Amino acid sequence: MSFDVSMAAGHVTRACYGPHLVQRGLDKQNIFYRALTSRDLALAISGGALPIHHQESLVRLNPKLSAGIAGGIVTLAFSLPSNAQPAASKPATEATKAANAAVQSELPFNDKADFEDAQRGFIARPDTLTIKSDKGAPVWDMEEYKKYIGLDKPAPDTINPSLYRNAQLSTLYGLFKVHDNIYQVRGYDLSNITFIKGKTGWIVFDPLISAEPAKAALDLANEKLGKRPVVGVVYSHSHIDHYGGAHGVVKTEDVKSGKVKVLAPADFTEHAVSENVIAGNVMGRRAVYMYGALLPRNAQGGVNGGLGQTTSTGYSGLILPNQFIKKTGEKVTIDGVTMEFQMTPGTEAPSEMNTYFPAWRAMWMAENTTNTMHNILTLRGAQVRDALKWSSFLDETIRVYGPKTDVKFQSHHWPRWGTENIIDYWKKQRDMYKYMHDQTVNLMNKGYTGEEISEMIQLPPELDKFWPNRGYYGTLRHNSRAIYQRYMGWYDGNPSSLNNLPPEPAAKKYVEYMGGEAAVLQKARADFDKGEYRWVAEAVKHVVFANPQGAEGKNLLADAYEQLGYQAESGPWRSVYLQGAFELRNGVPNVGGVQPANADTIRAMPPEMLFDYLSVRLNGPKAAGKKIGLNLNFSDLKKQYGLDVENAVLHYGPPLKQADATLTMAKATLDAIQNKELSIDDAISKGQLKVDGKRESFTDFMGLLDEFPFWFNISTP
């Protein structure tokens, strides 16, 4: 089965939080495909998607659906390689049932404090929550999850009961009062949107991923609390689920004029635009695994992302801030509301800040503390975060703000009330990051490798049994490896690891040494029957990489992944395992031309960022022996640059004294060319691009730039 889906561009896939998906129904199983669009590295955004209506019966899809939004169209050709129907999921084995039952008995499920906090201050919610775009397509649908997640529904045996508990809490959506003049709408996106009541209007904190859910949340607040204009917006940090929906609550012209204040931490714009620029393609592909982009929404598929249910898929943009916060203790008053900021750069995000409301003894924690262990290194790939710095900023929060805080709330999950209760919570979150750092380094200095440490390290009971420290998003095993990587890099010190074989040739030798494929599979099936899924996954991986066409090996590996997914407490772990099983059984989808087009983000990118991207796109072998010099004159920016290809690398800097060609254009023209909205020939014919000198040099240069394939193999070679 194959079909094209034209999708509106405009999403950035968040560094920690998730893909933007296309939903489509398929056959009797009500399988919802969620195809993550590639984030063009130069633009640091994903193409995004407006989902298609889904039905429980067979959906007859229009092969040329269009949903153009501000800046362009993305076209994907999506296909399942062989069958129109995906392979069915399998039930939990007895070993998986036993493993999940053990979790039920080990953790304090009788502690209902989180359920009380998650429902405290409840004001209203719509009976159903399906938010649609102006084209009528759902961009957020809580109804999918209600079918199998509910407070009165026990955990299915295919879902880790601790992860299921987190999902139950995350589906408690609606409008809530946090404190006098502080309200939140939760469950309208992966993140929360917060409304601070000023003298005349709302100050909005973190307006979600997409404009449509943000507008729906604002409409709910206005309906239940009285209509008020938005007079201010605060972005807590530089991840898309905290600013992408701003268009749903304010107008760009009101921000540019200063009528609406938009506050953000120092360096916000740089990090919001540049995150994942260089490695965005591979990160985007791996994010399909991390967030289970093709998984059904049922008890055998996607359940919860750890920080919330999933991500919205509406229009996401970037309204640039007009005021930046630069130091801890800085105060700003908007509409009679005084806010004091604590800067926390390099913790959960490179640009992040907490906000204290002295009049109400209330502390907004951004994403520095949530009700889960966070990632030190996200599974989709990123730069390693600093667990020690994270812990130190939380220590500062406790010392400076702890005694004068009565309520703390944040951009994910539910608040917590009571000074002693909050300080205890902050200490346990602080000590979680400090413990994983200190003990990883302790074991590292005793000679243990990252893999060994991840198997050895355990939180002490007082931290481990604390619900907000559970590994729904980050995990102790992977965080310890990330800390090891931060200090020691990839090499474990063993000489055998210094120049080891890559996976495919190594797999063939492994299988040969183990007696051949049939012998390995026979032993692996016996181990599968004993519930030894981790080992089956390790052993049969070699069979698949040695013989990627072998259905028997792929199916057994998929079965092992599936049971590991059913047992996973981490939402991303579950997604990775189940997505791997899905692709082993059904093949890797094929995607045609992927053309991201978020006009806001493109305009925000400085030329230097684009040139860095062009440098990694340069095909080194093709560029060998070539020498090309180009000058770029941006007429609107009044800036000139020189691009120089020599020794198979690209450099940029001041204009070259001797260039093969000089290009004169507005940056908007380059944006349009990059966005495939305008061809080079059309730009020249329309007078938007002037080329002086050897035009063929420019053509040759463009021919040296690679396009990165998005749907590369992961579970197979």
Side-chain angles (χ1 to χ4, degrees):
M1 184 183 81
S2 66
F3 47 87
D4 291 343
V5 182
S6 294
M7 299 183 299
H11 301 305
V12 181
T13 299
R14 153 80 163 83
C16 310
Y17 317 130
H20 300 280
L21 315 169
V22 176
Q23 302 178 41
R24 50 179 80 87
L26 187 68
D27 75 59
K28 301 175 184 177
Q29 302 177 58
N30 194 21
I31 299 293
F32 299 105
Y33 287 95
R34 290 163 168 81
L36 171 67
T37 65
S38 172
R39 290 167 298 163
D40 184 275
L41 306 189
L43 308 180
I45 60 174
S46 69
L50 289 179
I52 305 165
H53 290 298
H54 49 76
Q55 303 174 15
E56 292 187 1
S57 58
L58 180 64
V59 175
R60 302 184 184 279
L61 295 170
N62 181 342
K64 296 290 183 181
L65 291 171
S66 288
I69 288 184
I73 296 294
V74 178
T75 300
L76 300 180
F78 180 89
S79 69
L80 285 175
S82 53
N83 301 318
Q85 284 194 30
S89 300
K90 296 185 177 180
T93 62
E94 292 305 314
T96 291
K97 292 178 183 178
N100 285 341
V103 172
Q104 189 77 48
S105 64
E106 291 169 0
L107 295 176
F109 283 90
N110 59 340
D111 178 1
K112 300 297 183 181
D114 282 336
F115 289 90
E116 295 171 3
D117 285 343
Q119 298 176 87
R120 179 171 170 173
F122 171 72
I123 297 173
R125 68 169 62 97
D127 292 335
T128 60
L129 182 59
T130 301
I131 301 170
K132 298 182 179 181
S133 72
D134 58 1
K135 303 293 183 181
V139 301
W140 177 259
D141 195 357
M142 186 63 79
E143 299 310 300
E144 294 182 25
Y145 295 98
K146 289 183 183 178
K147 297 172 185 176
Y148 59 102
I149 300 170
L151 297 183
D152 59 344
K153 297 177 182 178
D157 53 24
T158 55
I159 302 175
N160 181 295
S162 181
L163 179 62
Y164 185 78
R165 177 186 182 276
N166 185 270
Q168 288 176 308
L169 290 160
S170 296
T171 53
L172 292 171
Y173 67 92
L175 175 65
F176 298 84
K177 181 178 180 179
V178 176
H179 194 273
D180 291 341
N181 302 309
I182 301 175
Y183 302 88
Q184 284 190 317
V185 174
R186 301 197 285 270
Y188 273 51
D189 208 327
L190 181 75
S191 49
N192 303 330
I193 185 170
T194 300
F195 298 96
I196 309 298
K197 183 187 291 186
K199 289 181 178 180
T200 64
W202 296 118
I203 303 168
V204 178
F205 272 64
D206 288 5
L208 307 180
I209 293 172
S210 307
E212 295 89 340
K215 182 181 183 300
L218 177 61
D219 290 344
L220 179 63
N222 281 334
E223 176 191 348
K224 301 301 180 182
L225 303 173
K227 189 171 183 179
R228 307 168 73 87
V230 174
V231 296
V233 176
V234 177
Y235 301 149
S236 69
H237 61 289
S238 51
H239 292 151
I240 186 63
D241 52 326
H242 304 270
Y243 67 81
H247 284 287
V249 296
V250 293
K251 296 179 180 179
T252 304
E253 53 267 30
D254 289 340
V255 177
K256 288 184 176 179
S257 70
K259 179 180 177 181
V260 176
K261 287 289 185 183
V262 177
L263 277 59
D267 302 320
F268 167 87
T269 303
E270 175 189 351
H271 292 296
V273 174
S274 68
E275 186 170 311
N276 309 318
V277 167
I278 300 301
N281 192 71
V282 61
M283 289 180 181
R285 173 65 174 110
R286 282 173 48 160
V288 175
Y289 271 63
M290 182 174 176
Y291 297 101
L294 302 182
L295 299 180
R297 293 296 181 248
N298 61 31
Q300 290 76 45
V303 173
N304 180 270
L307 289 166
Q309 290 309 101
T310 183
T311 57
S312 66
T313 59
Y315 175 64
S316 185
L318 173 59
I319 295 181
L320 293 176
N322 52 22
Q323 185 171 345
F324 293 94
I325 307 302
K326 298 180 180 179
K327 62 181 181 180
T328 294
E330 186 174 345
K331 294 182 180 180
V332 173
T333 299
I334 297 177
D335 199 28
V337 177
T338 298
M339 299 169 283
E340 179 181 330
F341 300 95
Q342 180 196 8
M343 306 306 293
T344 62
T347 52
E348 190 272 337
S351 174
E352 190 152 357
M353 65 186 184
N354 299 330
T355 306
Y356 181 68
F357 298 86
W360 305 320
R361 293 174 57 89
M363 186 67 170
W364 162 263
M365 288 301 295
E367 203 167 321
N368 286 312
T369 63
T370 59
N371 293 316
T372 178
M373 179 187 296
H374 217 295
N375 283 308
I376 301 303
L377 177 58
T378 178
L379 295 180
R380 67 169 178 79
Q383 293 184 5
V384 179
R385 295 162 181 160
D386 190 336
L388 189 59
K389 179 182 288 187
W390 200 330
S391 173
S392 70
F393 276 120
L394 292 182
D395 189 64
E396 180 182 70
T397 302
I398 294 167
R399 288 186 289 102
V400 177
Y401 299 102
K404 53 185 181 181
T405 297
D406 293 333
V407 58
K408 75 94 194 169
F409 57 112
Q410 63 283 318
S411 56
H412 295 275
H413 301 138
W414 46 96
R416 185 169 283 241
W417 290 265
T419 303
E420 291 185 7
N421 187 29
I422 293 167
I423 291 175
D424 177 70
Y425 163 90
W426 279 338
K427 285 182 176 179
K428 287 176 178 173
Q429 288 254 305
R430 173 198 66 185
D431 294 345
M432 170 181 64
Y433 294 114
K434 187 74 159 57
Y435 184 94
M436 69 175 68
H437 171 273
D438 292 353
Q439 295 307 306
T440 297
V441 176
N442 176 293
L443 293 169
M444 182 176 74
N445 278 315
K446 294 174 180 175
Y448 293 103
T449 67
E451 288 189 2
E452 292 169 331
I453 293 168
S454 71
E455 194 72 19
M456 299 167 66
I457 192 169
Q458 290 184 328
L459 291 177
E462 57 265 44
L463 297 179
D464 184 56
K465 296 299 196 298
F466 185 57
W467 283 115
N469 285 2
R470 299 300 300 177
Y472 302 118
Y473 193 56
T475 65
L476 182 61
R477 291 181 63 86
H478 285 178
N479 282 346
S480 65
R481 291 195 193 191
I483 293 165
Y484 181 93
Q485 177 181 324
R486 183 177 181 88
Y487 284 98
M488 303 302 295
W490 64 269
Y491 179 47
D492 63 6
N494 190 307
S496 295
S497 305
L498 195 61
N499 192 27
N500 56 315
L501 288 173
E504 193 170 359
K508 293 177 180 178
K509 297 302 292 184
Y510 273 117
V511 172
E512 177 188 341
Y513 274 41
M514 290 188 284
E517 180 175 335
V520 176
L521 291 176
Q522 181 180 5
K523 295 174 183 176
R525 278 191 293 270
D527 286 338
F528 182 92
D529 292 339
K530 291 185 287 187
E532 297 178 5
Y533 306 127
R534 287 177 66 192
W535 172 246
V536 174
E538 175 67 27
V540 181
K541 174 186 71 176
H542 296 304
V543 171
V544 171
F545 268 69
N547 178 19
Q549 306 306 318
E552 190 174 359
K554 289 195 291 186
N555 288 334
L556 181 56
L557 183 57
D559 290 349
Y561 284 169
E562 188 169 58
Q563 297 304 316
L564 289 168
Y566 291 165
Q567 294 180 27
E569 183 179 29
S570 162
W573 278 37
R574 178 184 176 93
S575 294
V576 167
Y577 283 130
L578 297 186
Q579 186 68 36
F582 180 94
E583 293 191 8
L584 285 166
R585 290 168 176 161
N586 298 287
V588 178
N590 297 318
V591 174
V594 178
Q595 178 67 29
N598 183 314
D600 293 337
T601 307
I602 294 169
R603 284 192 295 266
M605 291 186 68
E608 293 84 357
M609 194 177 295
L610 174 61
F611 300 151
D612 284 335
Y613 165 61
L614 296 180
S615 296
V616 300
R617 281 184 60 193
L618 190 75
N619 185 304
K622 286 174 64 175
K626 295 185 180 296
K627 191 172 182 179
I628 301 174
L630 301 172
N631 282 334
L632 273 68
N633 178 15
F634 290 111
S635 55
D636 54 338
L637 301 179
K638 308 301 181 186
K639 290 185 177 181
Q640 295 81 39
Y641 298 88
L643 301 183
D644 183 21
V645 176
E646 188 175 11
N647 299 323
V649 296
L650 171 64
H651 294 281
Y652 66 88
L656 305 174
K657 292 181 179 180
Q658 290 186 330
D660 297 307
T662 296
L663 315 177
T664 302
M665 69 187 115
K667 182 169 182 293
T669 300
L670 180 60
D671 294 342
I673 292 172
Q674 286 294 314
N675 200 33
K676 300 286 195 300
E677 297 171 345
L678 184 67
S679 70
I680 294 174
D681 288 341
D682 286 344
I684 293 174
S685 65
K686 293 178 180 180
Q688 297 177 24
L689 170 62
K690 180 182 178 183
V691 180
D692 294 319
K694 299 178 181 178
R695 180 179 169 183
E696 61 270 21
S697 296
F698 184 37
T699 304
D700 290 346
F701 171 74
M702 296 299 291
L704 297 177
L705 302 179
D706 281 336
E707 296 289 343
F708 298 119
F710 183 73
W711 290 103
F712 53 79
N713 292 1
I714 293 178
S715 293
T716 55

